Amino acid sequence: MISKENEYFYSALNNLNNKNYDDAISDLLKLIEISPENLDAYYNLAKAYVEMKDYDNAIKTYNKSIEIYAHDSDIYYSRAEIYFYMGLFDEAILDLEKVIKMNPAYPDTYYLMSVIYRKKKQLKKSLYYLKETLNYNNEDYIAYYDIYKLYNKLSEVEKDDEKREKYSSKAYKALEKSANLGYEKAIEKLKDL
C-alpha cells in the first residue's frame, strides 16, 4: 500500500512532467499539509510556480525551503534565478554570493553572476565571473563566446590604443577557443572575420 505522502508526491511529479501545473500545485500543497518539512515538496512546488511564471509564490516557497534547510546551495541558486527573471539583480547577487560560499565549485553560479553584471553594464565584473566559470568548467564554449563579446565591447569603448589592441587580441583568442570547442556561432563568426 502506497502512503498518502508518496501518492501526492508521485502524482505531483507526473503532473509536472505533463505540464499540469495547477494539479501539481494542488498535490504538493496536500503533501505539505501532511509533511510540512518535506523539502522535495517545496522544491517542486517552487518549480511549478516558476513554470507558471508566478514568481512571487516561487520566491515565498524558496524562502520556506530556506527556513527548513538553510544549507542547500541549490535553493539559493534557484531563488537567485527567479530574482534575475524579476529584474531584482541585487537580490540575485546576494543569493549567488551565498552559493559561492557554500559550494565554490558551482560553475552555473559564476555564469549567472556574469550575466547579471553584464545587464548592470559592469563589463569587467562580468568578465571576472566568466573567467571563474572557466576555472570550474574550461570547456564551456558559451562562456568563451561571451568573453569574446565582452572584450569586443571593451575594445570598442577603450581610448588607449595599447589597451584596445590587448582587448581585441583577447577577444579573438576567446572566439577561437569557443570555435575549437565546437560552438557553431563562434565558428560562423570566425569565418566572417
Side-chain angles (χ1 to χ4, degrees):
M1 171 122 188
I2 191 166
S3 72
K4 273 289 185 203
E5 289 176 16
N6 284 339
E7 180 183 325
Y8 289 134
F9 185 70
Y10 291 115
S11 176
L13 291 181
N14 185 49
N15 282 319
L16 281 171
N17 285 335
N18 292 315
K19 301 181 188 221
N20 298 326
Y21 302 119
D22 287 326
D23 292 337
I25 289 168
S26 176
D27 289 334
L28 291 163
L29 290 172
K30 289 174 188 170
L31 173 56
I32 289 168
E33 279 181 36
I34 298 169
S35 181
E37 302 291 306
N38 188 320
L39 199 54
D40 289 330
Y42 286 102
Y43 179 80
N44 285 290
L45 180 60
K47 187 174 165 183
Y49 286 134
V50 169
E51 291 296 330
M52 295 179 70
K53 299 198 181 347
D54 183 351
Y55 297 139
D56 290 332
N57 275 321
I59 293 290
K60 288 176 189 172
T61 305
Y62 284 128
N63 291 345
K64 183 63 179 172
S65 298
I66 290 167
E67 283 177 32
I68 294 168
Y69 189 70
H71 306 292
D72 187 335
S73 59
D74 288 333
I75 297 169
Y76 287 99
Y77 180 82
S78 296
R79 188 172 69 176
E81 284 184 311
I82 304 309
Y83 284 140
F84 173 76
Y85 299 146
M86 296 172 77
L88 301 171
F89 300 142
D90 293 334
E91 289 85 345
I93 288 168
L94 289 173
D95 275 353
L96 293 171
E97 287 171 344
K98 289 175 186 169
V99 173
I100 290 168
K101 284 181 184 169
M102 286 184 223
N103 184 2
Y106 199 141
D108 290 349
T109 303
Y110 300 105
Y111 188 81
L112 185 53
M113 285 283 253
S114 79
V115 172
I116 291 168
Y117 280 114
R118 198 170 332 143
K119 293 259 186 208
K120 292 178 70 137
K121 308 284 189 229
Q122 296 179 27
L123 302 184
K124 289 184 179 178
K125 269 194 170 180
S126 180
L127 266 171
Y128 168 80
Y129 284 106
L130 282 170
K131 290 175 184 178
E132 286 297 306
T133 301
L134 295 172
N135 284 337
Y136 296 99
N137 179 5
N138 67 354
E139 294 190 2
D140 187 331
Y141 53 82
I142 293 174
Y144 282 109
Y145 191 76
D146 286 351
I147 288 172
Y148 154 74
K149 292 190 305 186
L150 287 173
Y151 274 127
N152 239 7
K153 279 186 183 181
L154 286 171
S155 72
E156 288 170 7
V157 298
E158 181 58 52
K159 297 194 185 331
D160 181 275
D161 289 339
E162 191 175 315
K163 282 185 180 178
R164 188 171 44 251
E165 184 58 39
K166 185 175 101 176
Y167 290 151
S168 293
S169 173
K170 287 182 176 191
Y172 186 78
K173 286 178 186 173
L175 181 62
E176 276 186 321
K177 183 68 175 176
S178 181
N180 290 340
L181 289 169
Y183 190 41
E184 197 62 40
K185 254 183 163 175
I187 294 167
E188 292 303 313
K189 189 59 120 174
L190 271 175
K191 287 178 186 176
D192 293 342
L193 296 180

